[in-house]
Amino acid sequence: MAGNPYIGRRESVGVGIETVPGTGIAPQAWQRHLALTLDPKTTVVQNKSALGRIEDINNSAVTEQWVEGSINGKITDLTIGYFLANIFGSNAAVLHPTETTVYDNSFSVSSSALPPSLTFARVSPVRSRRFAMGTLTDLEIDIKQNDWIMVTATVTAKSGVTSTETVAYASENEFTSKHAVTKIAANIAGLTGATALQIKSLKIKISRKAERFTPVGVIDPVSFDPNAWGVTGTIVTRYTDTTLEDIAFLNTSQALSIAIVNTDVTIGTTSNPGLVLTAPKVCFSPMTLDNKLDQTLSSTYNFTCELDLISGYMLKAVLTNTQNGYAHA
């Protein structure tokens, strides 16, 4: 018999790093979400054999099952690390300078090892399920004026199994637009002394498509093979000078820093929770000018991060919080 209907706020989504890829585990953290989809997907083959009639299809069968969807919510200083661990592929933790309980968790791209797979758990009044071998295909961070700093993770995973979960949200720190500082400079060394851009909004998106592989003889994927890794984004500023316009037009590469640090909160002795993204080589596309008669002009620049052979990376992230690394439970 059907149960009572419920609203989306009653659902919870958890995440954990798997010890064995594809073997589900209990969540290590629960994401505060604002939008959630983990929809079942199937591959269906149709039988079009002739049966002496003109109708075209007489049967069908499911040959493959998995889930796809996205998790959208505010960035929090602990749970975001699980998403970063998967999309980057490698992470390491060291104590933050002068601290004993605060760590700098560094995330970097690994070209020689598969990223750690995740288990996603979705709990609702109707049912609870774990989705193993979870893989992010996109991770987008969205910064807007007078708003929370948001993250959207696009995910795919195995079709899932029924589970029993204990939902427990940890105390985490969040971030608003006032906590974000964006800088560009000719090189990484110049970022420290650079003047912050007066941006209206910024999006940065890490993409790593994953090729689903379901071999003959099974119905669930046995892997989501990662493909090429890339980073793109968009910056919107007030149009007050031509500095960025000239840089974009000449395709002059710049180092880029996006520092999201909650200076209203102290962790450890004197530190602040935060996430700092650094790209040593970024090229901007020529601007698009939003020319409205009764509004201050805005300029929009799309950008692409490029691999810098001198620095040895395209993008790195450092997450400062009270968690010592991101590994399986």
Side-chain angles (χ1 to χ4, degrees), residues 7-44:
I7 65 173
R9 289 183 178 277
R10 294 189 64 191
E11 292 201 339
S12 298
V13 58
V15 61
I17 297 176
E18 295 175 349
T19 305
V20 179
T23 300
I25 65 164
Q28 294 167 275
W30 294 87
Q31 170 68 46
R32 295 160 167 80
H33 70 278
L34 291 168
L36 170 66
T37 58
L38 279 174
D39 297 331
K41 303 290 182 180
T42 61
T43 297
V44 175

Side-chain angles (χ1 to χ4, degrees), residues 43 63-66 133 135 156-158 210-227:
T43 297
T63 62
E64 187 180 29
Q65 300 172 334
W66 73 100
M133 201 172 286
T135 302
T156 187
K158 298 177 75 171
E211 184 178 353
R212 187 177 65 256
F213 179 59
T214 306
V216 173
V218 298
I219 195 170
D220 283 325
V222 298
S223 66
F224 294 93
D225 300 331
N227 293 338

